[in-house]
Amino acid sequence: MCGIAGITWHDPRLVERMARVQAHRGPDQDGVFADETVSLGHRRLSVLDLSERGRQPMTNADRSVWVVYNGEIYNFAELRRELRGLGYDFQSDADTEVIVHGWSAWGPSCVERFNGMFAFAVWDVRRRKLFLARDQIGVKPLYYAVLPGPESRIIFASELKGLLQCPEVDRSLDLAALHKYMGYEFVPSPETIFSQVRRLAPGHSLTWAPGEEPRVERYWRLRVRAVPRDRGEHERLLREALQRAVERQLVSDVPLGVFLSGGLDSSAIVAMMSRLSDVPIDTFSLYYEDGSYSELEYADFVAKYFGTQHHVIRIDPVTPETIEASCYHLDEPMTDLSAVPFYLLCKKVREHVTVCLSGEGGDELLCGYDRFRASKLNRIYETLPRVLREGAIAKAVDLLPDRPQKKGSINLLKRFIEGSLLPEEGRHMRWQYFLTPRVQESLFTREVQAQVTDRPFAPVRRILEGAEVDDEVAAEIYVDTCMTMPDSLLVKADKLSMAHALEVRVPFLDHEFAELCCTIPSDLKLEGFRTKSIFRSAMRGILPDEIRGRGKQGYSLPIKNWIRGELREFMEDTFASSTLIGECFDRAFVRILLQEHMERRANHSHVLWAILNLLVWHRLFAAPPAENPGRTLTGTSTG
């Protein structure tokens, strides 16, 4: 895995700085290429071909094509054979060279042949064309900005902090994006928290040439359309496709392991790896003292069942320093409650392996989240009179005190009613959106409210424009796969693993496996209220019944309890000292939310945690480097 950077003008020192600030992504090698038109920078984490032959930027024999690349092309061996048949010679065993020659052979359509996770840039010297591309699902990130001037100029990097090394990149906050962040806990693509910076969307490319405006195009789109097969055939195809995806992703010249939560998806990956390995697999799990947040007993069970070499990593209450480090490496505000434990887990895992497989993606593609069930239940709940739902029931449930455990019947009931009161166009995302009508109305300053011209679920509506889906559940799967996953889940997985130079691979997001999942009827994925039903039955005989029947738990932290205890002083001090509170949020209302949360009258952990992360991020990133010396100190440590 690597970090890439580039600009469409000659400034090798700038791209060297842009690459250096991403050195945690690639501590093994570095390189810079610059001509009069384009400058490219690279930091390399060596996974395939550990020699100098794999160094980037990489070029061909006549130096007419230059490539910087972050990711893995899992089908590179078969593509190498095809390209050799076309007369191309290879000088390394690295998959990067497949992109170099693939571009020469097939041009922009080369990206359609790649199976993998990737973000890369090709500079074609003869055609004077820059081509950027991101993988189909969006596993690897790519940020860019178009700088103002008489001619368009492009700057791009794997991480936002790379772009910020250029003083011309505007650090003004996008207040409308900030509002979306507070609702979704991430900023939906293509926007970012900075008004000038954009993400290249999954399955898209960007083409630039001197004197022309950049052109962004989609080269791949997911279709969620059922194909008629009997259940047994769906199950067989699922097993075979997952086995192939896992096998493809085991290619490595460095030590490799797997995250094991004890849930269905990570356990399935362990099962498939066990079939393919002659030696015990290294597995890694988290442990919390709070049993309602820990899955250790199930992870231990799976590890013993498959005879893995199991490593248990204890997570203690987080410190302010850990929160700052995770905010720095996430690059922009994103408050998935599993982010900090995942950061700590990756730090420990890197002591043992360089590559780790993970189960991200199965819940999105196969309906594993509670929000899918909540949406289906709500379609029944809405048959009750509105006056009963929004009057008596909602008011009665609001009076119930929050419980300290992660879920529980009362906490689930409160969350269900909160989501049911939000606009219907939000679909299942109503239970992943954390601005209740009351908070929405009172939290923000007038300046922020004035910038909010979209309805809360406009991003959901935009994602579904042109989507090929069969039914309501298929539409929800599409939204999760095309928005929530690449803009939140995969941001966390990439940034917080690469903070420690750990490469994370995600077999469920092999795009061929994803396409197969989307041919399975929705009622086999969410069968009644049983999540991932078809996958559970497909794993019969592969996974023990104790694991196949488990519900979704997921990495998380008891943040709501820590805000009331270990983190209370840090949160209150941060809120009191930040200028952003007064600029974007109503201070008096924030104090009310804090008081209600501390007294257990409500669970405001999502909103309070989002504000805290935003304020920490703002202190680290919003000021230019010369005005913010503390940011460099935070970023120099990968631990």
Side-chain angles (χ1 to χ4, degrees):
M1 207 57 60
C2 307
I4 68 174
I7 55 177
T8 57
W9 65 93
H10 180 84
D11 192 339
R13 290 184 178 181
L14 173 57
V15 292
E16 195 280 329
R17 291 199 307 273
M18 292 170 65
R20 189 192 318 135
V21 78
Q22 302 176 88
H24 48 274
R25 300 184 67 90
D28 297 329
Q29 294 175 351
D30 63 275
V32 169
F33 161 81
D35 64 12
E36 69 280 2
T37 307
V38 165
S39 305
L40 304 174
H42 190 263
R43 295 293 308 211
R44 185 184 184 211
L45 174 64
S46 303
V47 173
L48 295 172
D49 191 344
L50 310 186
S51 71
E52 285 288 316
R53 295 176 303 172
R55 183 182 291 275
Q56 298 183 44
M58 185 177 285
T59 189
N60 55 357
D62 65 5
R63 302 172 71 84
S64 62
V65 174
W66 290 86
V67 168
V68 285
Y69 155 59
N70 168 35
E72 302 289 348
I73 306 295
Y74 299 124
N75 63 337
F76 78 97
E78 59 192 76
L79 291 174
R80 182 199 302 269
R81 288 192 294 271
E82 184 177 355
L83 287 163
R84 276 181 171 152
L86 294 174
Y88 292 93
D89 293 324
F90 285 78
Q91 305 302 315
S92 76
D93 295 324
D95 53 341
T96 312
E97 202 167 358
V98 165
I99 302 176
V100 174
H101 296 317
W103 172 265
S104 298
W106 304 309
S109 66
C110 68
V111 70
E112 299 171 21
R113 296 171 176 257
F114 298 151
N115 179 300
M117 52 179 187
F118 53 82
F120 65 81
V122 174
W123 171 235
D124 191 315
V125 177
R126 289 175 180 166
R127 299 176 186 173
R128 291 175 60 77
K129 179 182 291 186
L130 178 72
F131 180 79
L132 310 180
R134 190 174 174 204
D135 66 71
Q136 293 90 340
I137 301 291
V139 181
K140 294 289 102 184
L142 189 58
Y143 294 87
Y144 73 96
V146 180
L147 301 183
E151 292 189 354
S152 67
R153 292 175 300 150
I154 304 292
I155 180 171
F156 64 88
S158 296
E159 296 189 2
L160 187 60
K161 62 179 68 66
L163 271 63
L164 297 182
Q165 299 308 300
C166 176
E168 292 184 69
V169 173
D170 187 358
R171 293 171 185 251
S172 300
L173 296 188
D174 184 330
L175 296 183
L178 182 148
H179 185 273
K180 293 185 181 75
Y181 157 75
M182 289 300 303
Y184 292 103
E185 300 189 315
F186 62 88
V187 178
S189 289
E191 299 169 318
T192 70
I193 196 70
F194 288 127
S195 57
Q196 189 182 40
V197 179
R198 291 291 179 265
R199 295 188 197 95
L200 187 62
H204 282 69
S205 65
L206 183 152
T207 305
W208 173 90
E212 298 180 8
E213 291 298 314
R215 185 175 72 254
V216 175
E217 297 177 301
R218 182 193 290 269
Y219 69 86
W220 182 86
R221 183 190 291 274
L222 191 65
R223 299 174 72 247
V224 193
R225 288 285 180 86
V227 173
R229 305 183 189 106
D230 63 43
R231 187 186 188 103
E233 182 73 358
H234 282 302
E235 292 174 351
R236 181 184 66 81
L237 291 173
L238 268 178
R239 287 191 296 269
E240 292 176 354
L242 183 59
Q243 184 84 22
R244 287 194 301 272
V246 170
E247 186 172 12
R248 275 194 287 261
Q249 298 193 18
L250 293 182
V251 177
S252 175
D253 294 332
V254 294
L256 182 148
V258 59
F259 296 122
L260 175 59
S261 68
L264 182 61
D265 297 337
S266 64
S267 300
I269 292 174
V270 171
M272 297 298 181
M273 289 177 68
S274 296
R275 293 178 163 193
L276 298 164
S277 177
D278 297 327
V279 298
I281 301 163
D282 281 293
T283 53
F284 302 90
S285 298
L286 288 175
Y287 169 65
Y288 300 116
E289 287 289 351
D290 187 334
S292 70
Y293 287 80
S294 179
E295 299 181 271
L296 185 59
E297 64 175 298
Y298 297 101
D300 282 343
F301 176 80
V302 174
K304 290 174 183 176
Y305 188 89
F306 290 105
T308 74
Q309 185 170 320
H310 194 46
H311 309 265
V312 177
I313 297 169
R314 178 191 172 108
I315 300 295
D316 294 317
V318 298
T319 64
E321 291 75 20
T322 305
I323 294 172
E324 289 195 0
S326 64
C327 284
Y328 176 81
H329 284 290
L330 281 170
D331 252 357
E332 60 173 320
M334 194 215 74
T335 55
D336 184 328
L337 295 184
S338 67
V340 174
F342 189 72
Y343 173 82
L344 296 171
L345 176 64
C346 290
K347 177 181 178 182
K348 293 294 185 181
V349 169
R350 186 60 174 88
E351 296 172 5
H352 302 273
V353 298
T354 307
V355 176
C356 210
L357 273 64
S358 187
E360 274 84 3
D363 290 316
E364 287 79 6
L365 290 165
L366 294 162
C367 292
Y369 290 120
D370 285 342
R371 57 180 173 262
F372 290 105
R373 293 197 293 188
S375 182
K376 189 170 187 177
L377 177 61
N378 191 64
R379 290 193 277 277
I380 300 171
Y381 179 65
E382 285 181 339
T383 62
L384 297 176
R386 174 173 290 184
V387 66
L388 178 61
R389 287 183 283 118
E390 298 183 4
I393 295 176
K395 290 179 180 178
V397 170
D398 188 54
L399 295 174
L400 296 173
D402 180 61
R403 297 294 193 266
Q405 67 264 36
K406 181 175 182 179
K407 292 187 177 180
S409 57
I410 290 180
N411 291 345
L412 288 174
L413 177 60
K414 288 175 72 68
R415 187 72 192 107
F416 172 75
I417 295 301
E418 283 180 358
S420 72
L421 296 173
L422 295 174
E424 292 182 12
E425 67 176 347
R427 292 180 163 85
H428 71 317
M429 288 302 293
R430 286 180 280 177
W431 291 273
Q432 192 60 35
Y433 189 84
F434 296 99
L435 288 181
T436 64
R438 175 201 175 207
V439 173
Q440 158 80 28
E441 183 178 338
S442 304
L443 179 62
F444 301 99
T445 61
R446 290 181 179 178
E447 182 181 5
V448 174
Q449 293 283 16
Q451 297 298 314
V452 181
T453 56
D454 278 343
R455 292 169 59 87
F457 296 109
V460 174
R461 189 176 63 249
R462 282 195 290 269
I463 281 287
L464 286 170
E465 290 174 357
E468 298 182 56
V469 296
D470 276 344
D471 51 46
E472 191 67 22
V473 174
E476 292 172 348
I477 289 171
Y478 188 86
V479 169
D480 258 23
T481 306
C482 298
M483 185 177 86
T484 315
M485 189 163 59
D487 294 344
S488 177
L489 185 78
L490 294 176
V491 171
K492 174 199 72 178
D494 174 83
K495 302 272 187 73
L496 298 184
S497 60
M498 293 311 299
H500 309 289
L502 176 71
E503 176 177 303
V504 170
R505 298 178 179 177
V506 281
F508 282 96
L509 296 181
D510 176 295
H511 78 271
E512 293 178 9
F513 180 80
E515 288 171 343
L516 174 68
C517 288
C518 290
T519 66
I520 300 172
S522 297
D523 60 3
L524 293 183
K525 298 172 186 172
L526 187 62
E527 196 166 20
F529 288 96
R530 183 174 174 79
T531 57
K532 300 169 84 168
S533 181
I534 185 68
F535 189 59
R536 295 178 193 277
S537 57
M539 290 296 106
R540 186 178 291 113
I542 296 175
L543 291 177
D545 292 344
E546 293 90 335
I547 300 302
R548 287 195 312 112
R550 287 203 63 210
K552 174 70 178 175
Q553 174 88 0
Y555 293 135
S556 190
L557 282 177
I559 291 293
K560 67 177 180 180
N561 301 328
W562 289 356
I563 288 173
R564 294 167 178 144
E566 296 90 339
L567 293 177
R568 179 171 183 168
E569 183 178 356
F570 174 60
M571 174 169 280
E572 290 177 343
D573 287 348
T574 303
F575 283 15
S577 62
S578 175
T579 58
L580 198 61
I581 283 278
E583 294 171 9
C584 296
F585 305 108
D586 183 287
R587 283 189 180 274
F589 187 70
V590 171
R591 284 195 293 269
I592 290 172
L593 295 179
L594 269 169
Q595 184 176 357
E596 290 179 353
H597 186 83
M598 298 306 175
E599 295 173 357
R600 297 186 188 276
R601 286 187 281 148
N603 175 15
H604 295 307
S605 60
H606 284 275
V607 172
L608 295 173
W609 184 243
I611 295 174
L612 177 65
N613 279 264
L614 175 70
L615 301 185
V616 172
W617 170 85
H618 185 259
R619 176 165 51 80
L620 296 173
F621 282 101
E627 300 174 24
N628 194 358
R631 182 167 65 85
T632 302
L633 293 175
T634 304
T636 55
S637 171
T638 60

